[in-house]
Amino acid sequence: MSPITSPGLLDDALEWLRGLDGLEPEAAEERLARLRDRHPRTRARLLWQREAVTGEYHYDLLFPEIGGCVSLSFAPDRAIPWPLRGSQRSGEQLLLRVNGVETTMERAVSVLDVLWEDARLARRLVDAALVEEALAVRRADPAADRLQEAMDAFRRARGLLTAEATRRWMAERGLSHARLEEIVAAEAAVAALRREVAEGRVEDFFAAHRAEFDRLRVLRLRYADPDRAAAAAARLRAVRPAGPVALATDEVLAGAATCRMEANGRGDLVALFGAAAADAEAGRVLGPAPLPDGGLCVAYVLAVEPAVLDEVTRGLVAGRIFDDWLAERRRHAHVEWFWGSRARTDELTAALRG
């Protein structure tokens, strides 16, 4: 059944929109729960736009359905004419002024050339928008106990183990307690969405991709000199099974490299070393490979621990399922760039969908 065929939905939605006149978006979002309660089988998303000239908000209700989307809005008599919507005060285009020299948003964004060189940054921007879109349809306030669990986890992850440490951290970032709760609630909502997307799929995904979740114990050497890194990789491939630790010790003592032993997921090693790590077994030498923060890495696989579906692995599998879900949504997303040349934006959008 189409969502807009719910009895009385359009009349209720129009009356609901009339009641938003003069309200801030936070209050409008809270009222949306009432409409959803009256029509529980209907998915609805609220959008708003603030008119720069008047400072008032205009609201639209979206009802996603198969093959498209239904939009419903209401504009009071005093509302700004449609052709003028979106006009802005000139000051809203300014980011900062230094010694009287003004920097506009357009100028600031134009210097972010790294965005065009690294699609991962653009992917994070697009993914954040896609997640926000999904949450807007499913939005529900987390229960108090779930929110407290999320707050505790948030603090532990940042080493904020005392109330004083938390207050100091908030003060350094100019955060109020209410704003911190908003951030944590948003993270909890994303976690709930991830669980929803992965629900009922973890076991089958793990069975189909088990080897990708193996844990590999590796000896990792980090080099600054490409020639030394290549030479070390060649020597590692030639040493006896008992020799990697001795070779690593020599390299560290000579000041050529730093060394550490780690347990890495196979997927993390594939991301760094490529396909060579996909089927790597004990004794395999990987690299040299460039590191994100500079330098080169050479790794020797000491042992492989076959994956088991424990709680840690379940979380990793759920993350992969969620990543695949986002990738599918990116492929079909309508992305609009408001700066950059057409050639650059087309190339970047193609990379995001690939």
Side-chain angles (χ1 to χ4, degrees):
M1 182 178 72
S2 171
I4 63 168
T5 60
S6 175
L9 171 62
L10 291 182
D11 288 339
D12 288 348
L14 183 56
E15 186 63 27
W16 182 85
L17 282 167
R18 290 175 183 272
L20 300 185
D21 190 14
L23 289 184
E24 297 285 319
E26 293 78 6
E29 282 280 9
E30 291 177 1
R31 290 195 179 191
L32 184 57
R34 304 177 191 174
L35 184 63
R36 287 173 171 159
D37 289 343
R38 293 187 58 135
H39 303 275
R41 300 184 62 183
T42 298
R43 300 174 64 196
R45 179 186 175 196
L46 181 64
L47 297 181
W48 59 84
Q49 176 185 2
R50 188 181 187 188
E51 295 299 336
V53 176
T54 65
E56 295 183 339
Y57 288 93
H58 172 78
Y59 295 97
D60 290 83
L61 269 177
L62 301 186
F63 300 100
E65 59 176 25
I66 297 174
C69 182
V70 175
S71 174
L72 183 66
S73 63
F74 171 76
D77 289 339
R78 68 178 186 282
I80 191 169
W82 288 100
L84 296 180
R85 287 182 183 260
S87 60
Q88 294 179 303
R89 298 184 181 95
S90 60
E92 293 187 357
Q93 294 293 331
L94 293 179
L95 177 64
L96 78 161
R97 183 182 291 115
V98 180
N99 295 335
V101 178
E102 296 178 342
T103 298
T104 64
M105 287 295 297
E106 181 181 7
R107 170 59 181 162
V109 171
S110 71
V111 302
L112 296 178
D113 286 338
V114 67
L115 184 65
W116 310 113
E117 299 167 4
D118 188 348
R120 291 176 300 177
L121 297 176
R123 186 178 299 117
R124 290 183 64 182
L125 290 172
V126 172
D127 284 353
L130 292 173
V131 168
E132 183 176 348
E133 176 191 22
L135 290 177
V137 175
R138 297 167 171 81
R139 188 175 299 279
D141 293 331
D145 56 345
R146 181 63 64 84
L147 182 58
Q148 186 58 53
E149 290 176 9
M151 180 67 77
D152 293 342
F154 183 92
R155 291 175 58 186
R156 284 195 303 272
R158 291 157 180 80
L160 307 176
L161 305 182
T162 66
E164 178 57 32
T166 303
R167 284 193 291 269
R168 186 165 55 251
W169 184 88
M170 292 167 57
E172 290 171 353
R173 290 157 179 79
L175 294 176
S176 65
H177 190 270
R179 178 55 184 152
L180 178 61
E181 286 190 343
E182 290 178 4
I183 294 172
V184 173
E187 289 194 1
V190 173
L193 176 62
R194 184 182 291 109
R195 289 193 297 271
E196 178 183 327
V197 170
E199 185 176 4
R201 301 173 58 191
V202 171
E203 288 76 10
D204 289 344
F205 191 95
F206 176 73
H209 303 271
R210 180 186 297 266
E212 298 174 22
F213 297 95
D214 290 344
R215 300 287 291 175
L216 280 68
R217 297 195 175 277
V218 299
L219 182 72
R220 293 181 61 151
L221 292 163
R222 178 191 174 97
Y223 289 87
D225 185 339
D227 293 335
R228 291 297 296 261
R235 290 172 59 198
L236 277 172
R237 292 185 173 96
V239 299
R240 301 187 307 276
V245 174
L247 184 148
T249 301
D250 291 343
E251 293 290 274
V252 172
L253 291 176
T258 58
C259 174
R260 65 176 184 264
M261 292 186 183
E262 294 182 346
N264 296 122
R266 189 181 293 276
D268 294 332
L269 293 177
V270 170
L272 178 58
F273 295 104
D279 59 353
E281 298 294 340
R284 177 75 65 87
V285 178
L286 303 171
L291 294 166
D293 57 350
L296 296 121
C297 181
V298 175
Y300 183 91
V301 180
L302 299 168
V304 176
E305 299 175 1
V308 293
L309 193 55
D310 55 18
E311 286 305 308
V312 173
T313 305
R314 280 183 176 275
L316 295 174
V317 173
R320 277 285 304 279
I321 293 172
F322 189 67
D323 289 344
D324 289 352
W325 176 81
L326 276 175
E328 182 63 21
R329 292 177 71 87
R330 279 199 307 273
R331 277 191 283 274
H332 301 285
H334 176 62
V335 180
E336 295 179 272
W337 299 99
F338 294 99
W339 84 97
S341 67
R342 180 63 179 270
R344 275 184 160 181
T345 57
D346 285 351
E347 181 180 355
L348 185 56
T349 300
L352 293 175
R353 291 176 175 164

